[in-house]
Amino acid sequence: MIPPVRAPELPHNYSWLNTNKPLSLTQFKGRVVILDFWTYCCINCLHILPNLKYLEQKYKDSLTVIGIHSAKFDNEKETENIRQAILRYDIEHPVLVDSNFRVWEEYAVRAWPTLIIIDPEGYVIGQISGEANRDALDELIQKLIQQHQDKGTISFQEISLTLEKQRQPLITPLAFPGKVLATQAGLFIADSGHHRLVMSSFDGEILHLIGTGKSGLTDGAFNEAQFFAPQGMAFDAENQILYVADTENHTLRRLDLKRQVVKTIAGTGEQSRNIRPHGGAGLETALNSPWDLVKVGNTLFIAMAGPHQIWQMDLETGIIKTYAGTGAEACINGSLTESAFAQPSGITTDGKELYIADSEVSSIRSVAIVEPYQVRTVCGSGGLFSFGDVDGQGEDVRLQHCLGVGYAQNHLWVADTYNHKIKLVSSSGNCQTVLGDGSAGLQDGQCKNSRFFEPSGLSAIASFLYIADTNNHAIRRVDLNTLEVTTLEFFGLCAPDVCIPPNL
């Protein structure tokens, strides 16, 4: 039997978040400790956060979770960007910024996410890579508590922390808007951090607020419905129907603007664990983090980030199934059944091809919806660790975790999220920076004099481009004739519970 290993102490001279002082494992002696090695781009890392929150709340007096943020992308190394991710995903445990992978290496971690379980005497007793099973973790924690209660080596007490959300409450009118959709009917905004949808005129007049602002999965009237971090949208102008990727509910929702009601049309509300191509009736098929949508005829195409696939839903029959992607996390071109994607997070179309913002390989991909049904890479190298900020042609292009893509006037507009830029890409793969100087910030102006902060979605209509400037909690408008960027103001829009919304 291999003897237990004493857990290496955590560095005190690194940046810490969700606490007003550095923490040590020594001070948690007598408690079960879970170290969560994560990086905020990673969909699998995001999937285990609800499980950890459940366990933290269940075992407040005997369990401490500490996030160890070991960044994949350069942009994720910045402490302020990690703070924004903590606010966006409502993380309530302390987080250590693991500069240069020091803690990662000391604990011999090899993949995101990885959980290290430390017993109340300070020994490492387990390591779990991937999306851990909540029930198995729960059982292990209970067993450890009982064992150390019998030994007299457990100390029951609640730990008090100073959280980032206490220092910086989300009281802005919009909170981390993920996607925006410009239509003839108006502007639709996924107000992801407030768990609702906003519909406005192009001048900022609020037309509809859809959702209570509290996370949940509830159908019904616009003012009663609930969402959980909604993202991409598609609009049926003829029938006045908005389709929504309700990402953290793992569902698709149908919003009837005429009747002002919300209905779930796909997903069970539970995350699917099946990454192989499959499908079935919409409400009987579990989904996995649908992130963006586009409608072609009576078919809804879905960027399904969780299983690294593109899905389709027949809106007449209600059948939903995998369209392309094996489920492997990679950049593989070829036929629909041979292809692979890596956390596809944006989708648009020219009617013949779907264009995908394939975020984890920092590439723009194309998926044909007419014969010969091939998948290709438009630009970017397609490597999981090949990223940067290089304009140019095809595989020479470097993007950094691009999340948004929109088709307009025979070109693709790309939200190059972690480079804080907006780029223009031709169907042949030529990529050029148009907006943003590459620094995170909120600055209006022309062309590269403007600044954004992790823009995640965009949509063009007529001579304007609208951008979901996620970490700025703003919608930006670009005049495509002058490339002048302005910040859109919304009249009477408030954060939920901050003020009484207008009677819409």
Side-chain angles (χ1 to χ4, degrees), residues 23-312:
L23 304 175
S24 69
L25 293 179
T26 303
Q27 72 190 83
F28 296 117
K29 189 175 181 180
R31 299 173 67 85
V32 178
V33 175
I34 295 178
L35 303 183
D36 173 27
F37 287 83
W38 69 299
T39 186
Y40 74 80
C41 68
C42 167
I43 191 73
N44 309 98
C45 298
L46 303 183
H47 283 159
I48 67 171
L49 290 175
N51 293 344
L52 294 176
K53 178 165 286 192
Y54 167 84
L55 296 170
E56 289 174 81
Q57 293 173 348
K58 182 174 181 179
Y59 300 105
K60 285 182 180 180
D61 61 350
S62 52
L63 171 69
T64 295
V65 176
I66 300 175
I68 311 294
H69 191 274
S70 307
K72 172 185 173 180
F73 289 99
D74 290 342
N75 183 65
E76 295 177 303
K77 297 176 182 177
E78 299 293 332
T79 299
E80 178 56 31
N81 299 349
I82 302 167
R83 177 181 288 108
Q84 294 305 314
I86 287 170
L87 292 169
R88 189 185 319 175
Y89 299 115
D90 194 25
I91 295 170
E92 297 179 309
H93 52 250
V95 173
L96 169 67
V97 180
D98 184 19
S99 300
N100 300 316
F101 284 79
R102 172 181 160 180
V103 184
W104 172 287
E105 291 174 354
E106 287 180 344
Y107 280 87
V109 175
R110 294 290 176 266
W112 297 282
T114 292
L115 302 180
I116 301 289
I117 296 90
I118 301 170
D119 74 11
E121 293 182 284
Y123 289 97
V124 174
I125 58 93
Q127 176 173 314
I128 304 169
S129 294
E131 296 184 26
N133 180 283
R134 190 183 82 177
D135 293 338
L137 264 177
D138 196 348
E139 185 178 337
L140 175 60
I141 293 166
Q142 286 186 42
K143 184 178 178 181
L144 281 171
I145 291 171
Q146 186 61 56
Q147 285 177 349
H148 287 271
Q149 199 169 1
D150 294 343
K151 290 175 65 177
T153 51
I154 197 159
S155 173
F156 293 102
Q157 59 177 335
E158 284 198 36
I159 301 296
S160 179
L161 297 168
T162 303
L163 302 180
E164 300 306 319
K165 68 180 182 180
Q166 294 169 331
R167 296 189 182 102
Q168 189 178 336
L170 283 181
I171 57 174
T172 48
L174 296 173
F176 298 107
K179 302 290 183 184
V180 61
L181 181 64
T183 74
Q184 294 292 345
L187 199 62
F188 294 99
I189 302 159
D191 189 9
S192 309
H194 287 326
H195 311 293
R196 66 184 179 183
L197 285 303
V198 176
M199 182 184 179
S200 78
S201 72
F202 295 110
D203 294 324
E205 177 190 358
I206 303 302
L207 303 177
H208 290 292
L209 289 179
I210 308 163
T212 64
K214 301 291 185 184
S215 63
L217 178 53
T218 304
D219 287 345
F222 278 6
N223 62 351
E224 298 172 343
Q226 290 183 308
F227 303 84
F228 192 176
Q231 290 283 342
M233 300 158 288
F235 188 58
D236 177 349
E238 182 180 351
N239 297 299
Q240 293 290 286
I241 300 293
L242 182 72
Y243 296 97
V244 177
D246 195 4
T247 303
E248 294 198 31
N249 274 326
H250 309 289
T251 58
L252 302 183
R253 315 291 290 279
R254 180 182 186 271
L255 282 56
D256 187 326
L257 294 183
K258 294 178 182 176
R259 296 174 54 227
Q260 298 190 20
V261 293
V262 177
K263 181 180 179 182
T264 302
I265 60 170
T268 63
E270 298 293 328
Q271 180 194 347
S272 171
R273 303 294 176 180
N274 186 358
I275 63 170
R276 296 178 179 178
H278 65 287
L283 293 173
E284 298 173 6
T285 304
L287 309 181
N288 190 346
S289 293
W291 210 276
D292 202 6
L293 307 174
V294 69
K295 184 176 178 290
V296 181
N298 283 318
T299 299
L300 204 59
F301 287 100
I302 306 129
M304 199 76 75
H308 314 295
Q309 293 166 338
I310 308 304
W311 279 50
Q312 63 177 351

Side-chain angles (χ1 to χ4, degrees), residues 205-461:
E205 177 190 358
I206 303 302
L207 303 177
H208 290 292
L209 289 179
I210 308 163
T212 64
K214 301 291 185 184
S215 63
L217 178 53
T218 304
D219 287 345
F222 278 6
N223 62 351
E224 298 172 343
Q226 290 183 308
F227 303 84
F228 192 176
Q231 290 283 342
M233 300 158 288
F235 188 58
D236 177 349
E238 182 180 351
N239 297 299
Q240 293 290 286
I241 300 293
L242 182 72
Y243 296 97
V244 177
D246 195 4
T247 303
E248 294 198 31
N249 274 326
H250 309 289
T251 58
L252 302 183
R253 315 291 290 279
R254 180 182 186 271
L255 282 56
D256 187 326
L257 294 183
K258 294 178 182 176
R259 296 174 54 227
Q260 298 190 20
V261 293
V262 177
K263 181 180 179 182
T264 302
I265 60 170
T268 63
E270 298 293 328
Q271 180 194 347
S272 171
R273 303 294 176 180
N274 186 358
I275 63 170
R276 296 178 179 178
H278 65 287
L283 293 173
E284 298 173 6
T285 304
L287 309 181
N288 190 346
S289 293
W291 210 276
D292 202 6
L293 307 174
V294 69
K295 184 176 178 290
V296 181
N298 283 318
T299 299
L300 204 59
F301 287 100
I302 306 129
M304 199 76 75
H308 314 295
Q309 293 166 338
I310 308 304
W311 279 50
Q312 63 177 351
M313 182 174 186
D314 187 318
L315 294 172
E316 289 186 355
T317 66
I319 298 298
I320 190 167
K321 61 184 180 181
T322 309
Y323 181 73
T326 63
E329 185 178 14
C331 180
I332 299 175
N333 295 322
S335 70
L336 300 180
T337 56
E338 296 170 334
S339 62
F341 302 85
Q343 205 172 307
S345 302
I347 189 169
T348 190
T349 188
D350 63 0
K352 295 180 180 179
E353 293 178 284
L354 305 173
Y355 294 99
I356 312 296
D358 210 11
S359 63
E360 282 296 288
V361 287
S362 301
S363 299
I364 302 300
R365 313 287 297 286
S366 161
V367 183
I369 52 177
V370 296
E371 291 185 356
Y373 301 110
Q374 292 289 298
V375 175
R376 66 187 176 95
T377 299
V378 179
C379 68
S381 73
L384 281 166
F385 293 90
S386 181
F387 55 85
D389 186 4
V390 180
D391 292 348
Q393 181 68 37
E395 64 181 18
D396 294 331
V397 170
R398 293 293 179 270
L399 306 171
Q400 189 180 181
H401 197 69
C402 46
L403 289 175
V405 61
Y407 180 81
Q409 300 174 354
N410 298 317
H411 281 81
L412 299 170
W413 289 96
V414 174
D416 192 5
T417 307
Y418 284 3
N419 283 325
H420 315 292
K421 289 182 175 183
I422 306 299
K423 298 184 177 181
L424 193 61
V425 177
S426 70
S427 60
S428 63
N430 184 270
C431 174
Q432 299 296 326
T433 299
V434 177
L435 304 168
D437 67 1
S439 299
L442 176 59
Q443 181 173 297
D444 289 342
Q446 276 191 311
C447 304
K448 297 176 185 178
N449 291 325
S450 55
R451 286 186 175 177
F452 305 86
F453 193 176
E454 293 193 9
S456 300
L458 37 68
S459 180
I461 188 169

